[in-house]
Amino acid sequence: MTADRVYLTFDDGPDPEWTPRVLDTLADAGVKATFFAVGQQALRSPDLMRRVHAAGHAIGNHTYSHRHPWFMFSRAARAQVRDGAKALSDVLGVAPQFYRPPHGRQRACMSDEAQRCGERVVLWDVSAIDWGPMGSADNIEKRLAAVKGGDIVLMHDGRNQHNRPDQLLQILPLFLRKLSDRGLRTALLPS
Ligand SMILES: [Zn+2]
């Protein structure tokens, strides 16, 4: 991790409605990010998943179907990681380099499985909290103002259950411009 770099990450995609808009915004700003994708969604939108990868963004495994890590038997929990990795590999032709557990809830057997799949476990330093009742554009903007060099930033491109990519997108161009004004550059997560 480098002190003048910021590591943007987007979870819960690919989403046919919102991921293209996030991609367009990042492209306009010349920014690369890491996308933690859900395996079954990648299988449903393979062309979109390949578009994310082809744009030069890094890809992480966010499990097969985003079940809460704590409410499964360990066999199912391991399968969530393994099947997520396989879905992404099948669609992209390359294995994901990173793993992030749904809800950030770590579980030893899942981290172990991710490492067996060759994925590094990555959480975050700053969450945009771009979901639920706190996820208005104003609130997201305030939270993102606290991002500093070296931070991994969590945002969401997938609608999923409670995410609010509509709100995030209202302030994402401004956030990217402010990072640049502050001399902070974005980078892919180091593998
Ligand atoms: Zn998630």
Side-chain angles (χ1 to χ4, degrees):
M1 300 308 196
T2 310
D4 68 341
R5 299 297 175 109
V6 172
Y7 304 89
L8 304 182
T9 67
F10 293 89
D11 286 13
D12 296 1
D15 179 313
E17 183 172 7
W18 300 105
T19 302
R21 297 181 55 182
V22 170
L23 289 175
D24 289 346
T25 303
L26 297 180
D28 285 347
V31 161
K32 302 285 188 245
T34 304
F35 285 75
F36 286 90
V38 176
Q40 71 175 5
Q41 292 172 219
L43 293 175
R44 281 185 203 135
S45 303
D47 289 341
L48 178 56
M49 191 73 253
R50 286 190 280 267
R51 182 184 158 193
V52 175
H53 187 235
H57 303 296
I59 307 296
N61 173 14
H62 199 40
T63 74
Y64 184 72
S65 63
H66 207 273
R67 289 180 62 186
H68 194 298
W70 293 353
F71 305 126
M72 290 180 276
F73 291 111
S74 61
R75 186 188 169 98
R78 282 183 178 274
Q80 276 285 317
V81 177
R82 202 166 52 243
D83 295 350
K86 181 173 187 318
L88 295 175
S89 296
D90 286 351
V91 168
L92 297 173
V94 293
Q97 295 173 274
F98 309 101
Y99 164 74
R100 175 178 282 163
H103 311 285
R105 300 304 191 194
Q106 294 216 67
R107 187 165 165 184
C109 69
M110 295 176 83
S111 300
D112 176 61
E113 193 67 33
Q115 276 154 13
R116 281 160 48 101
C117 294
E119 300 162 2
R120 190 162 72 77
V121 179
V122 176
L123 295 177
W124 60 84
D125 301 300
V126 174
S127 171
I129 317 186
D130 50 346
W131 46 270
M134 299 292 286
S136 68
D138 279 357
N139 283 331
I140 295 169
E141 185 185 353
K142 281 180 201 138
R143 281 188 284 271
L144 290 180
V147 169
K148 60 188 189 317
D151 281 346
I152 299 172
V153 182
L154 167 64
M155 296 173 280
H156 295 85
D157 63 312
R159 178 73 184 80
N160 217 321
Q161 290 172 327
H162 307 293
N163 298 338
R164 300 178 73 183
D166 57 317
Q167 298 294 304
L168 174 69
L169 275 158
Q170 287 180 31
I171 59 90
L172 188 57
L174 176 68
F175 168 58
L176 298 177
R177 205 154 56 234
K178 283 184 174 171
L179 283 181
S180 159
D181 289 350
R182 291 169 57 204
L184 293 169
R185 290 186 294 162
T186 56
L188 299 178
L189 287 171
S191 52

